[in-house]
Amino acid sequence: MLNKDIDAQTEVLRTAMEEIKKALDDARNAITSCQSNVNELFQSNRQTLNKVMG
């Protein structure tokens, strides 16, 4: 009986860890995307500033 409880709790923890890993991967991808967008924005702003300051 105790082993079944431990096995069940282990499976719950394993599932939770998989969900956390997926959430972290999703967050990492979102951060990477944001960094890329910020870099593109800075590049665009730099080009605009260079044109204006000519």
Side-chain angles (χ1 to χ4, degrees), residues 33-46:
S33 178
C34 285
Q35 287 174 326
S36 177
N37 291 341
V38 167
N39 289 339
E40 289 177 19
L41 181 60
F42 278 138
Q43 180 68 23
S44 175
N45 286 347
R46 186 179 301 117

Side-chain angles (χ1 to χ4, degrees), residues 16-33:
M17 287 172 54
E18 289 172 1
E19 291 176 8
I20 290 168
K21 182 185 180 305
K22 184 183 180 316
L24 289 172
D25 288 343
D26 290 347
R28 185 180 302 111
N29 290 338
I31 289 168
T32 300
S33 178

Side-chain angles (χ1 to χ4, degrees), residues 3 28 48-49:
N3 283 343
R28 185 180 302 111
T48 301
L49 183 60

Side-chain angles (χ1 to χ4, degrees), residues 1-6:
M1 187 66 172
L2 183 58
N3 283 343
K4 286 185 178 183
D5 290 343
I6 291 172

